[in-house]
Amino acid sequence: MKINKTYQSLLDKAINSMLSAIEIYNKPDFKYREETFSILSINSWELLFKARLLKLSHYKMNSIYSMENKKKKNGENSKILQPKLNRSKNPMTISLAESIFRLRKKGEEISLNLVKSLFALIELRDNAIHFHNSSDISKEIQELGFACIKNFMELIQRWEPKVKLTQYNFYLMPLAYVDSNIESKAILTDEVANYLNFLKKKVSETDSRDIDFSVAIGIDISFKKNTTLEGIGMRYDSAGIPINMSEEDITKKFPMTYDNVTAKAKTRYRDFKQNQTFHTIMKHVKQNKKLSHNRKLDPSNLKSQVKTFFNANIWQELDKKYKKI
């Protein structure tokens, strides 16, 4: 099947724009890091949404144009719907928000967590374009950036599974390698404080049931200076590297129960059935310590019942077995 050139161009530019955002962010000395990332990444999302909308509309260009009513040239009172024109007399395309609205009208499910994350980045972009931001909130912005990239990769794999993103380096450098100041400064301007309040509100509205998309992804990096190897916090072991995890850490890393996985699979896959095949797959998953964890319901009780919890990466395994919707 022949691929529409406009659609392919939009998709390619979306990926290239995100790669450009990441490349600039990862430069060791770049003074306009967060602002440039927000501008390019939002541009990337807008192109991706328009590409999807164009495809769902059978490649009709009006689907991504901003339309308005105009009087017919023959002088009749009736009006005709035509694309709005910009100053250079070219058709104006729709905004990112309008793209989301039209996609939903087409029946496309767009995660609320994704929308909240994008609008937090849009606010940063708007501040950068129309006024200025402060570098004091670099840690918070990178948390948005991590979520932005994770969400982007997730959605492209849903919409265009043939696109192989493994050939690209979709990651942000840890902030500790980029800037020694990994904590936000205590003294904030009113503008930065207002933006942080806006960002915290978006994060507080996160739907924890949506495991595929995130508003922001937390960063917790620390280095301790020590003169001995004991200070590294890990040691070699022939059976692997032991890592101490708190109950809170385990809950974050393995948030899903068997029932959670089953319920999500019913809406994620078109050919899913809760049958013996599924139970066999899950049995193998339980043997993978990276995907599952057996946790005592009462950690202080040695005789407590044990329940298995699963990591979100379980979907990479199940995606190989079932066809996504």
Side-chain angles (χ1 to χ4, degrees), residues 175-186:
L175 201 64
Y177 297 116
V178 173
D179 189 344
S180 60
N181 177 22
I182 66 171
E183 294 294 335
S184 295
K185 295 179 181 178

Side-chain angles (χ1 to χ4, degrees), residues 154-177:
E154 172 67 27
L155 206 55
I156 281 191
Q157 290 303 298
R158 285 190 182 189
W159 288 348
E160 286 295 340
K162 292 182 180 179
V163 174
K164 302 301 180 185
L165 297 179
T166 52
Q167 61 182 304
Y168 306 112
N169 291 322
F170 274 98
Y171 63 85
L172 296 183
M173 287 174 63
L175 201 64
Y177 297 116

Side-chain angles (χ1 to χ4, degrees), residues 239-241 243 245 250 252-256 284-294 308-317:
I241 299 175
I243 300 174
M245 297 180 68
I250 293 172
K252 289 180 180 179
K253 189 172 182 180
F254 302 94
M256 296 179 292
H284 289 298
V285 168
K286 287 181 179 180
Q287 296 171 1
N288 188 333
K289 293 183 179 180
K290 293 182 179 179
L291 299 179
S292 66
H293 176 75
N294 293 324
T308 304
F309 292 82
F310 300 92
N311 183 275
N313 288 327
I314 189 177
W315 301 115
Q316 295 179 10
E317 189 66 26

